[in-house]
Amino acid sequence: MAEELTPAETDLAVDAAGAEGEEQPIKQRKNGLYPGVSDELAENMTTGWADTELHGLEPIAQAAHTAARRAALSARFPGERLVVPAGNLKTRSNDTEYSFRASTEYAYLTGDQTEDGVLVLEPRGEGHVATIYLLPRSNRENGEFWLSGQGELWVGRRHSLAEAEQLLGIPAEDVRELAGKLSEATGPVRVVRGHDASIEAALTDKVTKERDEELRVFLSEARAVKDEFEIGELQKACDSTARGFEDVVKVLDKAQATSERYIEGTFFLRARVEGNDVGYGSICAAGPHATTLHWVRNDGPVRSGDLLLLDAGVETHTLYTADVTRTLPISGRYTEIQRKIYDAVYEAQEAGIAAVRPGAKYRDFHDASQRVLAEKLVEWGLVEGPVERVIELGLQRRWTLHGTGHMLGMDVHDCAAARTEAYVDGTLEPGMCLTVEPGLYFQADDLTVPEEYRGIGVRIEDDILVTEDGNRNLSAALPRQADEVEAWMASLQQG
């Protein structure tokens, strides 16, 4: 990684975002090899560059949809200024940052994914006027483009404000001037909190936690029913995820020679080639690690005879993620006890998926799956019946642990801020997308079950779209039934 060629603080100033929008000095790296920039070099770097402005750009694919979403937001909060930040870069270590991921609310309303961006809806007449505030291209007159750590020659070209307007369909202005504008703003204001401290500081005396939470809740609930564009993106995510699972099956021999990280890296390669990233930390849990719900260390051994619980999802370039789980026999064949447990989970998932339809209660798929698992646990003598008593007391949860699913979209656990009455106590509608993912987990140290059960964890998860007449399994490209899983694995490994 190259070292930044930063000058002394007193040499040059750059139009970086300051508290009042004033020019900020480009900071000198303490142990940089260049002590400064000569006047001659500074002058040389301002000339001889071609005009690279892009013209005639087509709007992004979701531009019409983001406009409709902003219109719905405007209608909900008439007469109020609404501020939705993308967020800022976060330091990973010293002077390196994590890869940036725009806030879901911002990306949902704009389609933009750049750091430091802010969407502002200003009340005007019966509605609002939207403006997107962005960093303009790096300044070549003051040297920012080659001297700042976030300059163009270091991190790549960003769109000009004029280009952004063409792509997003929203008037664009310089975000470095926004904090000052907001600090002087009058009238009611709401902001989506938790993403941009400087924007929140500018509004600190103008907003309340309660009113801001109402904005966040509305935007969470607005994402519950997906539009045509979103459904297409979720299908893309699931299709890429299926190919990622195929990639993993093909290299299980190499994973056995290394560790779970080989599986993680294999799936990540597919996610980066076909999408933006993984939608969440991949769970590549082999053997007893499969009983840990969110096993993301992925540093354990992969052994023939054990199961691999792979829970992973590709996030598309527009930030919609899949969330799929398969529990695979590493040897290619389930043992008798593994198949017994797997078949029970499969039966529970079938019951859950069958309960997903418009007009059904959101909880119905969970209740249907849990009943099947409770019945199996009673049948196996692991818990005393009757089944109604087990469910009433939640006794099955020692081995089922988690809820049977969640909303899915731009966040893997989408719509999380929605009101309970609109989510888990709500009713399913066409366009909603949710996971159905029952599981059974027998911990390695659980003395209440026979030894043969211990260390076995099984989860099967698919992404289910509620349709007008029932549901559609977006991740159906991956087999689920045990015989089909074995045949699928054999075909991939033979190839």
Side-chain angles (χ1 to χ4, degrees):
M1 184 175 185
E3 183 180 44
E4 294 170 24
L5 308 177
T6 50
E9 289 191 17
T10 55
D11 291 334
L12 291 174
V14 58
D15 293 327
E20 300 298 332
E22 74 275 11
E23 287 192 348
Q24 299 292 303
I26 300 175
K27 292 184 178 180
Q28 165 73 23
R29 183 191 293 273
K30 182 176 181 180
N31 289 299
L33 293 174
Y34 289 97
V37 175
S38 68
D39 292 342
E40 290 79 5
L41 177 58
E43 176 62 26
N44 177 273
M45 291 297 288
T46 65
T47 62
W49 304 101
D51 179 6
T52 60
E53 183 74 9
L54 304 176
H55 303 279
L57 297 175
E58 292 294 322
I60 59 175
Q62 67 268 45
H65 296 286
T66 56
R69 298 167 194 166
R70 293 192 299 273
L73 176 60
S74 172
R76 171 62 179 82
F77 298 102
E80 302 186 52
R81 181 178 284 102
L82 309 173
V83 182
V84 185
N88 316 122
L89 292 172
K90 291 181 172 60
T91 300
R92 180 181 184 273
S93 175
N94 188 26
D95 58 354
T96 61
E97 291 85 21
Y98 288 104
S99 296
F100 179 74
R101 204 279 196 185
S103 75
T104 293
E105 295 89 350
Y106 175 85
Y108 176 75
L109 292 168
T110 67
D112 182 55
Q113 298 180 34
T114 55
E115 65 268 19
D116 301 326
V118 184
L119 173 69
V120 179
L121 270 61
E122 297 276 356
R124 190 76 54 83
E126 296 297 316
H128 290 79
V129 173
T131 304
I132 192 165
Y133 290 84
L134 303 166
L135 284 173
R137 288 193 62 190
S138 297
N139 191 318
R140 290 180 183 255
E141 293 300 316
N142 67 6
E144 176 201 359
F145 80 109
W146 72 288
L147 293 169
S148 168
Q150 295 302 316
E152 194 168 292
L153 296 194
W154 289 99
V155 298
R157 184 188 189 277
R158 53 183 176 253
H159 285 297
S160 70
L161 299 182
E163 292 168 355
E165 288 186 358
Q166 296 174 65
L167 291 166
L168 304 175
I170 312 171
E173 295 187 18
D174 191 336
V175 72
R176 294 170 297 188
E177 302 170 359
L178 180 58
K181 290 182 179 181
L182 292 178
S183 65
E184 298 173 359
T186 59
V189 184
R190 297 178 192 257
V191 63
V192 177
R193 299 189 180 204
H195 301 299
D196 193 319
S198 66
I199 295 299
E200 290 182 38
L203 295 170
T204 186
D205 60 342
K206 308 175 193 301
V207 296
T208 68
K209 182 178 180 180
E210 293 74 20
R211 287 164 49 78
D212 292 347
E213 181 64 11
E214 287 178 354
L215 172 60
R216 189 172 79 104
V217 167
F218 173 81
L219 289 172
S220 193
E221 293 181 9
R223 300 197 306 275
V225 175
K226 272 58 180 178
D227 59 37
E228 180 183 358
F229 176 83
E230 293 177 292
I231 293 170
E233 291 300 293
L234 286 167
Q235 185 65 70
K236 288 180 188 177
C238 288
D239 292 344
S240 290
T241 298
R243 290 187 283 273
F245 275 65
E246 291 176 355
D247 295 341
V248 167
V249 170
K250 292 176 182 178
V251 300
L252 279 178
D253 58 333
K254 294 182 175 62
Q256 291 180 64
T258 52
S259 74
E260 296 163 337
R261 290 194 173 175
Y262 202 96
I263 295 167
E264 179 183 357
T266 299
F267 186 85
F268 180 70
L269 176 61
R270 177 67 64 173
R272 286 298 273 170
V273 168
E274 295 194 3
N276 175 62
D277 206 328
V278 290
Y280 54 96
S282 298
I283 299 167
C284 308
H289 289 162
T291 66
T292 300
L293 300 183
H294 287 172
W295 177 261
V296 293
R297 299 179 203 169
N298 299 333
D299 58 359
V302 179
R303 300 189 180 98
S304 181
D306 285 345
L307 295 175
L308 167 66
L309 190 156
L310 177 58
D311 184 337
V314 171
E315 178 186 73
T316 67
H317 295 292
T318 57
L319 308 185
Y320 289 84
T321 185
D323 182 7
V324 179
T325 307
R326 290 295 183 267
T327 305
L328 310 173
I330 295 169
S331 68
R333 304 280 294 182
Y334 295 102
T335 67
E336 182 178 353
I337 185 63
Q338 289 170 352
R339 180 181 281 258
K340 174 182 175 180
I341 297 169
Y342 185 93
D343 287 347
V345 175
Y346 172 75
E347 186 178 331
Q349 195 202 26
E350 284 281 273
I353 293 174
V356 176
R357 57 183 177 274
K361 294 296 184 184
Y362 178 86
R363 292 180 181 271
D364 287 352
F365 76 94
H366 168 73
D367 293 341
S369 291
Q370 290 295 299
R371 173 166 286 277
V372 171
L373 296 178
E375 290 171 349
K376 295 297 182 181
L377 293 168
V378 171
E379 177 186 324
W380 297 341
L382 301 185
V383 64
E384 183 180 349
V387 170
E388 286 70 18
R389 168 184 170 273
V390 173
I391 293 174
E392 180 182 358
L393 299 176
L395 301 180
Q396 83 283 1
R397 292 180 60 186
R398 181 182 178 102
W399 303 285
T400 66
L401 295 176
H402 55 80
T404 311
H406 51 81
M407 291 288 194
L408 183 69
M410 296 186 83
D411 289 331
V412 66
H413 297 143
D414 209 24
C415 311
R419 295 165 298 157
T420 301
E421 58 266 30
Y423 192 157
V424 296
D425 290 339
T427 300
L428 295 179
E429 301 177 39
M432 289 182 172
C433 188
L434 55 106
T435 66
V436 178
E437 50 176 312
L440 283 173
Y441 312 92
F442 299 100
Q443 305 301 319
D445 59 352
D446 188 350
L447 302 181
T448 70
V449 300
E451 186 174 358
E452 63 178 350
Y453 287 78
R454 298 174 197 164
I456 294 177
V458 173
R459 179 164 67 252
I460 312 172
E461 177 182 20
D462 284 271
D463 301 342
I464 310 298
L465 174 71
V466 183
T467 62
E468 294 289 344
D469 57 358
N471 68 65
R472 173 157 61 97
N473 186 345
L474 301 180
S475 48
L478 288 171
R480 295 184 295 122
Q481 196 274 336
D483 288 340
E484 294 174 351
V485 170
E486 292 178 344
W488 169 72
M489 293 182 67
S491 69
L492 291 171
Q493 291 169 342
Q494 289 171 0

